[in-house]
Amino acid sequence: MQFGLKFNLTYNHSVNKLLLLLILSFFSAQGLAAGCPDGSEPVKSVSDDGTYFVYNCGGGNEQSSSSTANSSNANSNTKALAGIYIENDPNINFFAPPSHPPPTRELYYVTSLYYKADFNNDGLTDFIYTGVMHARNHGCSYQDRCSLQQQDDGIKPQPALYMGGADGKFHYSPELLIDNRDNKGMSVGRQLLIADYNNDKVLDIYIPDHGQTHQNKGYRDSYYLSQPNGTWLESSDTHLSDNNFIAYSHGGATGDIDNDGDMDVVLTDWGTFWCLMNDGSGFLTKRKCGGSNAFGLEIADMDNDGDLDAIFGGHEYGGDGFPTGIYWNDGQGNFMPYTITRLKQHKVWGTIPEVSAWDLDNDGDMDIVYSRAGKGYKNTAIQIIENLGNKKFKDHGIFPLVVPPADFIPTHEGNEWNDFIEMIKFRDLGEDGDIDLYLKSGSKKTNGMVLLNQGDFIFTLIKPSEADELYEKLDDSSVVITKKVLTSLAKTKETEDSIKFESSIKKNGKVIFEGVDQFTKFEFGLPLDNSGALLVGFKDLNVLDDNKLDVRLHIKYANIDFSTSICFQYHPGPEFMAARTSFKKNDWGGLKNIMPSSRCIGKWEVKDNNKSKLQELGIFAVMVDIQNSAFQILEALDKNSTIDLSDMLSLNK
């Protein structure tokens, strides 16, 4: 399926400097400034252009400004030291490791969160999983509704480390992770922050425990430092300034935010950003360094000034007080709310569990990728934002990955439809010079999806259900996803509805089809997951006005070729693109008398008796699929025809 998103959304607001400073002064009085590592308040000054306040620790304005400038100049031509580059090491195969051993499943959920790296520098790939407490271990109806007492009554999971062996297998190695705490384990290990914190050339492990809710933050974080004997020792008591640090850290990242040559940790909390500043030996000193009700977090150099900025995703259902955007680093590791660049919110997809960044268009700056979900984790999507330079950005809209049935009511993340992407990896999988996205989740519907970069921020979606053989064969060898592979993935899928349709054709129908040569073939077929049908090509594309068109589609269903006319019309009131199918004499494989009218009919317009008949014939599922994929079909038509449909596509809000 192709998503060619061509929407231009810019947010440049010129504000009178005096007014802005008055506004900033008001917020400053509210005590939003971050504290310094020594407990003192930062020194406030006005930025060089007079548009925002700068807060500096460890000296007056003159000294701080000088050190900031020197730091930026020294690093302006080099990549900032950030965990994102470790996560996406091109020498490490990042595809999912083998499944975890049965004993682990008995005790707690093992999430899909893992980290693959060469932990012990032996040239072999290792990996580590985090865990989530299993509801059955503590009597909770839902894992996110558990009290701390209920959690204490259960078995708390610990990280699971697997070392790569010379035999080509991964070996479960719990003896290498040593935790001597009385109350060991975690509630929800939401992040794996891997870096060499103690500067011994061996990777260390920081695991934030974000707990169940922001009111119920769970247990203290886990911090494993490498030892000379080849083990990792939990070192919270000796190497954290707050050895009982508890926060709702749904987001976390690691990088050298103060440009002193070592890796620091940045964590979200409800209303606060925490920075754990490294002294070079692995000792982390906690301080506030910003504030927002953020979920997802990544740190990267977004303005090419040599320091790492904080990209975060707000919990947007909370309104304007829960923004999504970028906090700009003042050069000394402070992310201040006053220097925020707010990015486009999509409240229909207002939950942002994960954030990442990479240069997707090879222009030398970092673009942004947000994992988004609907309220209650209904729906799953990816948002991509292009970095235009000079702190300007372009929102390329939403890439819907999973859209549940209209009557679905979300209950809890993790059921059949509640889903979200929790890991985003970057790699040139097509070996064409463009960086592609590999998506990881806990759901079979989305886990292993690939967004193949076609350039100009157009991506082809490869679904794991269409690539079972491909993913089964993945190992540590190079995997290249080519157009040949994509073409082979475009196929029908046997479903309960496709079986019904094939049976109906055999009993009652006569396939009347113009022939493949009468249609313009889509570069890649568009699979319709619910029904199992495949949209192969089109003809007779007719744009009626700015928001209406007709087209005849070549559909392959149960490997039967036929064609059907589809009517597209955008309704501005509810901001809704309807995709209705006709029921002419020869449509749907020549099945007659399905509907009393040959006009275009949508799924919502089918009366009860006719709906039952359509369901019996397996056709209604295709109607639903076509409606749910309306914009994706339009995008494919735009890409494969000479007719410009960008105006109609821009109606997608």
Side-chain angles (χ1 to χ4, degrees), residues 237-252:
D237 289 339
T238 59
H239 284 76
L240 291 181
S241 64
D242 184 352
N243 63 3
N244 194 34
F245 180 44
I246 297 175
Y248 183 57
S249 298
H250 202 284

Side-chain angles (χ1 to χ4, degrees), residues 41-59:
E41 289 298 310
V43 177
K44 182 176 71 174
S45 60
V46 179
S47 65
D48 293 338
D49 63 1
T51 59
Y52 59 89
F53 287 126
V54 176
Y55 291 77
N56 291 308
C57 299

Side-chain angles (χ1 to χ4, degrees), residues 177-218:
L177 295 182
I178 301 171
D179 189 349
N180 294 321
R181 297 175 296 178
D182 292 334
N183 192 12
K184 62 187 70 175
M186 66 192 79
S187 171
V188 178
R190 182 59 188 84
Q191 298 285 339
L192 278 164
L193 305 181
I194 309 299
D196 180 12
Y197 295 112
N198 58 3
N199 286 310
D200 65 351
K201 311 301 182 184
V202 178
L203 293 175
D204 308 297
I205 305 158
Y206 191 101
I207 307 176
D209 185 352
H210 95 316
Q212 310 295 338
T213 66
H214 66 274
Q215 299 97 348
N216 189 358
K217 297 182 179 180

Side-chain angles (χ1 to χ4, degrees), residues 127-139:
F127 68 90
I128 187 171
Y129 275 114
T130 63
V132 175
M133 186 173 293
H134 204 300
R136 67 172 175 252
N137 287 330
H138 44 67

Side-chain angles (χ1 to χ4, degrees), residues 136-149:
R136 67 172 175 252
N137 287 330
H138 44 67
C140 301
S141 57
Y142 296 110
Q143 81 182 57
D144 61 350
R145 310 283 172 97
C146 300
S147 68
L148 273 176
Q149 182 58 53

Side-chain angles (χ1 to χ4, degrees), residues 90 94-95 362 426-437 450-455 462 476-486:
F94 55 76
F95 292 101
N362 295 313
F426 302 96
R427 187 71 55 89
D428 183 6
L429 294 171
E431 290 192 343
D432 56 1
D434 293 319
I435 296 297
D436 311 298
L437 280 66
V450 170
L451 286 174
L452 200 67
N453 193 344
Q454 306 288 350
I462 303 177
D476 283 349
S477 62
S478 175
V479 177
V480 181
I481 300 176
T482 64
K483 289 188 177 182
K484 183 178 180 180
V485 173
L486 286 172

Side-chain angles (χ1 to χ4, degrees), residues 17 46 66 120 154 164 183 206 257 283 340 362 385 391 428 432 557 642 648:
K17 291 182 180 180
V46 179
S66 175
N120 58 354
N183 192 12
Y206 191 101
I257 63 172
F283 188 90
I340 184 176
N362 295 313
I385 296 177
K391 298 185 178 180
D428 183 6
D432 56 1
Y557 192 28
T642 57
M648 187 173 290

